[in-house]
Structures are given as C-alpha cells and as structure tokens.
Amino acid sequence: MALIVQKFGGTSVGSVDRIEQVAAKVKKFRDKGDDIVVVVSAMSGETNRLIDLAKQISEQPVARELDVMVSTGEQVTIALLAMALIKIGVPAVSYTGSQVRILTDSAHTKARILQIDSQQIHKELKAGRVVVVAGFQGVDEAGNITTLGRGGSDTTGVALAAALKADECQIYTDVDGVYTTDPRVVAKAQRLDKITFEEMLEMASLGSKVLQIRAVEFAGKYSVPLRVLHSFQEGPGTLITLDEEESMEQPIISGIAFNRDEAKLTIRGVPDTPGVAFKILGPISSANVEVDMIVQNVAHDNTTDFTFTVHRNDYHNALQVLEGIARDMGAREVIGDVDIAKVSIVGVGMRSHAGVASRMFEALAKENINIQMISTSEIKVSVVIEEKYLELAVRALHTAFELDAPAGKGE
Ligand code: ADP
Ligand code: ASP
Ligand code: MG
C-alpha cells in the first residue's frame, strides 16, 4: 500500500463539476488501497479576484490582511472536495494550513515553510480517511495566516509529501506533463518523459510556471519522487528525476523558458571609478528590489553605462531610486524599458557540448531579433530581447535546437 500526495491545480477544481471529477479520480486510487492526501488550489481565477478586491481598497494592501483574504480561496475548495468525496462514499476530511500546522516564517505573501506537523494527518489516514489539505497557505509562530507566493500549492504538495515520507507526489494540472516549452505558445512543443531536478529548477526560475520553483527545490532537497500529470487524461506525465542519463539521444537542450515579468533599467555616463556597481546596486538592494541580469559597458571617455533588470512589479520603485543615484553621481541619464522579455535555453547536455550559445545567437540573428543582454550559467543561456519578438524567438529556438514534435504529433 502506497502513500500518495496528489495536488490539483486551479483549473482542475475550477467548477463543482470538475471537483466531482477530481473526487472520482481520488476514489479510483483509494479503491486500489492507497492512502491519499490531496492538496488543492483555489478555483481558477479566484485568487486573482480576491487580490483585485483588495486593490480596490488600497494599491498596496497590508500583506497580513491580504493573506487572511487570499487564503479563503483554498478553504472553499478543500471543503467542496471533501463533500464530493463523502457523497460518493469515500470518508474524507478537510484541513486548512493552520489546522494541519504548516508552520512558516512571517514573510506574508511569500512565506517559506519551516515545519509540518504530520501527526494529525497520519491519524486521519489511519482512521481510513482521505485528507484534503489547503494549498498555498500556512501559519506563522504567532498564529498569523501566511501564503507561499503565487503557484504555492505545488510547494504545499511537495512539502507534505516530504514530511509524510510519501511514495510519490503527483501534480495534476491542465497539461499532460512538462513540455520542451509552454505548449500554449509553441504548438510543436513535446512532452518530456523525464527532466532532471536541476533542469526543472532552472526552467521554473526562468519563467516556466508549470511548477513553482520552491516545490522543485523541496523535491530535490528531500528526494521526493515528483510527477506532473493531466488531471483528466490518462498518461505517464513527466517524472522529475535525479539521474542524468548519458544516452546517445540526450538532447543538448531540454527546454526553453521565457519570462515577461522583467523590466530593464540603464544609467548612462557614470564616472568609471572603483565601487560604481556597489554605489548603484547598494541602494537598489536596500530598497528591497532584487536584481536579475547585469551588464556594464565602459566608454572611451572614462564613463560607464550600467544596465540591469528587475521584476516588473519593482520597476517604478527601482526607477525612482536610480534617478536619485544618477543625481548624486552626476550621471548623464536614466532610461527605463518595460517592453522586454527574457528567453532562456536550458539543458544539462550543455555541459558536454560547445557552441550552444552561438547556435542560439545565430537562430535569433536569422530572425533579425536583437539581443540586448546575455547571461549564462553551466546549464542555461538567457537573453533579453524586445517583448514583441518573444513568441517568434521561442519558436525559432525550438526549431533550431531540434525540439519540434514530428509532424502530426504536436498539440
Ligand atoms: P495549475 O493551476 O494546475 O497549478 P498552472 O497554470 O500553474 O496550473 O501551470 C500549468 C500551465 O503551465 C500550463 O497550462 C502551461 O501553459 C504552463 N507552462 C509553462 N511552461 C510549461 C512547460 N514547459 N510545460 C508545460 N506547461 C507549461
Ligand atoms: N491559488 C494560488 C494562486 O493562484 C496558489 C496556487 O494555485 O498554487 O497562486
Ligand atoms: Mg500552478
């Protein structure tokens, strides 16, 4: 008998009808004799709806209260799913994050899980019940409700699987696995049978929202067997695995990720003296703005241009800080650009192949797409381009790295 944690995302519980379908699916597993813990998201659109409500009161709602409110989305779906299970004869019980005691730090809207008390869940399983747990939420030491960041139900699922020492964590969603790139953007994207934790971590952090990055971190750290599957279609899904297979067919690139959530800031004509980077990025960091890519160019007249990217939500804040810095340092000008996108190719195969970056640049050049910034690591190359070329770039790279599905196989 296995212990399985199954997480169902927003679209999979998006209506009463779907919740009943999920209940029927859970029943099938349970009838085989497995112990099941189910984690659910809020109904699709609900978290956005709640955030919009809060924004009608204040552009920057108090984070503690925002968490009290957005956590209600998941409280509705756990109860509905438990009811649906009971209706079809499956003993079930629902728990909020604080009732389980999913203990987190106090960083409202982006809290981290510190500890999970698994006692109560084990007790319920022993009594023969399916336990339905609210995703995305926890409670801090002082008893405040916290949430784990957008997409955080994935992390609840994986963290519960780790705490319960489950045999597998299954992430059920509206696609049938992890694809070479977002199948909604590239019709020829292909489902991957397997992807390594390391690659999945890069994909998630570079913009593939199919799994929340912290869920992948958790799964890697605690060796949780993790699989992404379609909620309502049969199929093997995608296994996130530790082993890097050395097969002849190992592609150089496993996937392409992209992200429209960044903005670019440039400060031009800064006197080029030691400590420039610190003088610019110190205040940015003090303003709690995280910087992603950085490029510095030195001009002939002993000045330097310094460009970096930040999350689009932080753009106005960063721009204000940078304008202050420019005045203090006597810089020529500050330029901001929100119409950018980041495209990244990811693959452990890059370690053993040279020329991957130039192949990427060639593919973009052929489409006349200008590269504004570049950053590389051992298993990824990222570029910043103009946002309007994003889809074209992703498709061109998908073809250039031979990831396209054979004719007729794509979605
Ligand atoms: P859920 O509500 O189930 O958590 P999400 O919307 O968070 O679902 O994640 C699933 C979506 O992730 C898919 O609908 C797909 O558009 C998107 N996605 C982005 N990149 C990928 C990828 N590489 N493989 C599969 N899906 C991807
Ligand atoms: N409901 C939350 C969100 O929309 C958490 C999740 O779905 O994973 O971000
Ligand atoms: Mg999600």
Side-chain angles (χ1 to χ4, degrees):
M1 202 171 74
L3 169 53
I4 305 173
V5 174
Q6 302 184 319
K7 177 255 168 178
F8 290 88
T11 28
S12 314
V13 294
S15 65
V16 167
D17 197 41
R18 292 225 170 127
I19 289 175
E20 292 196 310
Q21 283 182 54
V22 168
K25 181 165 190 126
V26 172
K27 180 175 190 301
K28 260 203 231 159
F29 276 88
R30 193 159 172 287
D31 288 348
K32 280 194 277 182
D34 294 334
D35 278 339
I36 311 285
V37 174
V38 186
V39 172
V40 284
S41 293
M43 289 173 150
S44 56
E46 179 63 6
T47 309
N48 286 343
R49 188 186 73 85
L50 292 168
I51 293 172
D52 285 350
L53 268 182
K55 292 213 162 154
Q56 287 177 36
I57 301 269
S58 150
E59 201 24 60
Q60 275 194 315
V62 180
R64 181 191 182 279
E65 304 313 324
L66 194 60
D67 276 352
V68 169
M69 188 174 63
V70 293
S71 65
T72 61
E74 274 73 8
Q75 189 165 341
V76 170
T77 46
I78 52 170
L80 286 172
L81 181 58
M83 289 173 201
L85 284 162
I86 293 163
K87 183 169 130 183
I88 55 174
V90 179
V93 59
S94 69
Y95 279 87
T96 63
S98 68
Q99 284 176 320
V100 172
R101 202 144 195 266
I102 297 180
L103 183 70
T104 71
D105 61 21
S106 303
H108 285 290
T109 76
K110 47 178 184 248
R112 280 180 179 271
I113 296 178
L114 301 175
Q115 203 190 326
I116 293 182
D117 186 350
S118 54
Q119 251 184 26
Q120 191 62 19
I121 296 184
H122 277 304
K123 224 159 114 192
E124 295 287 5
L125 290 173
K126 230 182 187 162
R129 295 189 189 99
V130 167
V131 186
V132 185
V133 179
F136 180 53
Q137 55 178 260
V139 63
D140 73 2
E141 199 66 68
N144 298 299
I145 294 173
T146 54
T147 63
L148 310 178
R150 297 309 302 268
S153 298
D154 295 336
T155 304
T156 307
V158 176
L160 266 175
L164 295 165
K165 299 192 174 55
D167 295 283
E168 183 163 292
C169 180
Q170 301 170 344
I171 306 285
Y172 287 98
T173 183
D174 55 6
V175 280
D176 64 347
V178 177
Y179 276 66
T180 45
T181 192
D182 190 339
R184 295 189 201 289
V185 170
V186 178
K188 288 179 183 159
Q190 298 194 65
R191 184 182 58 77
L192 300 163
D193 284 326
K194 284 182 180 183
I195 184 168
T196 66
F197 279 112
E198 206 184 355
E199 287 170 322
M200 194 63 237
L201 204 58
E202 285 284 6
M203 291 279 282
S205 71
L206 294 168
S208 296
K209 292 183 176 130
V210 61
L211 283 176
Q212 199 202 33
I213 176 165
R214 285 196 191 149
V216 188
E217 273 169 11
F218 247 105
K221 189 165 166 196
Y222 296 99
S223 300
V224 177
L226 182 63
R227 199 180 282 276
V228 176
L229 300 134
H230 197 291
S231 295
F232 305 119
Q233 289 168 15
E234 291 301 316
T238 300
L239 182 69
I240 323 294
T241 156
L242 275 174
D243 26 294
E244 265 177 45
E245 262 174 63
E246 286 297 331
S247 84
M248 291 292 287
E249 282 126 77
Q250 169 83 33
I252 302 172
I253 297 305
S254 299
I256 300 173
F258 53 86
N259 184 349
R260 300 174 206 263
D261 296 339
E262 291 192 24
K264 191 177 76 167
L265 293 142
T266 301
I267 177 165
R268 296 187 58 184
V270 188
D272 188 24
T273 52
V276 169
F278 177 65
K279 277 187 203 145
I280 296 169
L281 294 183
I284 295 284
S285 152
S286 304
N288 248 330
V289 174
E290 232 175 273
V291 170
D292 181 24
M293 284 162 105
I294 304 169
V295 170
Q296 185 178 355
N297 291 319
V298 179
H300 297 300
D301 61 355
N302 281 334
T303 67
T304 177
D305 293 349
F306 197 93
T307 303
F308 57 95
T309 62
V310 299
H311 195 283
R312 230 175 256 192
N313 290 345
D314 291 327
Y315 173 69
H316 289 289
N317 193 0
L319 189 63
Q320 240 177 16
V321 175
L322 198 59
E323 274 163 356
I325 298 169
R327 277 193 298 275
D328 293 348
M329 293 179 83
R332 206 174 306 131
E333 61 177 337
V334 169
I335 305 165
D337 186 357
V338 291
D339 298 319
I340 59 151
K342 183 167 78 175
V343 183
S344 311
I345 53 173
V346 175
V348 290
M350 252 185 238
R351 288 199 183 110
S352 47
H353 287 82
V356 177
S358 64
R359 195 160 151 193
M360 179 185 201
F361 305 152
E362 185 188 6
L364 296 173
K366 271 191 189 152
E367 299 294 342
N368 258 322
I369 298 170
N370 189 36
I371 298 171
Q372 302 178 1
M373 297 172 89
I374 302 169
S375 96
T376 65
S377 77
E378 212 188 357
I379 66 160
K380 72 118 202 273
V381 183
S382 300
V383 296
V384 167
I385 59 170
E386 215 180 315
E387 187 182 5
K388 69 176 180 197
Y389 296 123
L390 176 62
E391 299 195 353
L392 176 64
V394 176
R395 284 198 199 101
L397 292 170
H398 203 264
T399 305
F401 285 98
E402 293 163 15
L403 296 173
D404 289 352
K409 246 195 100 186
E411 272 195 338

